[in-house]
Amino acid sequence: MQKTFTILKPDTVKAGKARAVLSEIEKAGFRIRAMKMLHLTEAQAQGFYYVHKERPFFGSLVTFMTEGPIVAMVLESDNAIEKLRKVMGATDPAKAENGTIRKQFGTNIERNAIHGSDGPETAAFEIGYFFNQLEIV
């Protein structure tokens, strides 16, 4: 079993779609090992997305991720990282396959409903950024 990290982004929460996205995640066979809702500060969002700090979209990404509550989760499944990326779909919802979370719930490349770790090292960092070991069951 492998753990991965995901965020239901502010657009998903604001639209009242968190439950629907969560249902898709559970239908795909993931077990939720930790979950919390929080409203990121600017500093927290900058720290989380530090790998993108030199990219032109960094400022707008930080603004978007701080505009409302998010739901952060640790998920577990066989091959969880790759599996979640497939369930999420392409970063740009317009290019995502039918039935994926981003195709169903995303509106554009930035407001794409969900974030998911892209590799084991990233998952470890992201899980540790939001959760301590006592919070993961």
Side-chain angles (χ1 to χ4, degrees), residues 4-7 14 21 25 33 41 45-46 55 59 71-72 77 85 89 96-98 101 104 109 114 116 119 122 132:
T4 191
F5 176 78
T6 190
I7 292 176
K14 183 178 181 180
V21 174
I25 290 168
R33 294 302 187 186
T41 66
Q46 289 172 341
R55 302 247 177 132
V71 177
S77 177
R85 299 207 52 87
E97 290 184 34
N98 286 335
I101 291 170
Q104 294 178 76
I109 198 163
I114 190 169
T122 308
N132 67 52

Side-chain angles (χ1 to χ4, degrees), residues 83-103:
K83 182 176 176 179
L84 180 62
R85 299 207 52 87
K86 185 172 180 166
V87 169
M88 290 187 325
T91 303
D92 184 348
K95 297 176 182 173
E97 290 184 34
N98 286 335
T100 62
I101 291 170
R102 287 178 170 155
K103 187 69 163 188

Side-chain angles (χ1 to χ4, degrees), residues 21-115:
V21 174
L22 189 56
S23 177
E24 293 294 319
I25 290 168
E26 288 182 314
K27 277 192 260 181
F30 289 93
R31 297 190 66 173
I32 299 165
R33 294 302 187 186
M35 181 168 64
K36 65 172 85 170
M37 179 180 276
L38 60 151
H39 195 142
L40 294 176
T41 66
E42 184 176 344
Q44 289 169 328
Q46 289 172 341
F48 182 73
Y49 286 108
Y50 79 96
V51 297
H52 299 304
K53 68 182 173 199
E54 301 302 323
R55 302 247 177 132
F57 60 81
F58 182 71
S60 65
L61 177 60
V62 168
T63 298
F64 165 54
M65 291 301 293
T66 59
E67 74 181 26
I70 63 162
V71 177
M73 289 182 276
V74 177
L75 304 176
E76 186 178 69
S77 177
D78 288 329
N79 203 19
I81 295 167
E82 184 178 327
K83 182 176 176 179
L84 180 62
R85 299 207 52 87
K86 185 172 180 166
V87 169
M88 290 187 325
T91 303
D92 184 348
K95 297 176 182 173
E97 290 184 34
N98 286 335
T100 62
I101 291 170
R102 287 178 170 155
K103 187 69 163 188
Q104 294 178 76
F105 303 103
T107 54
N108 61 47
I109 198 163
E110 186 172 81
R111 296 177 179 271
N112 59 13
I114 190 169
H115 163 88

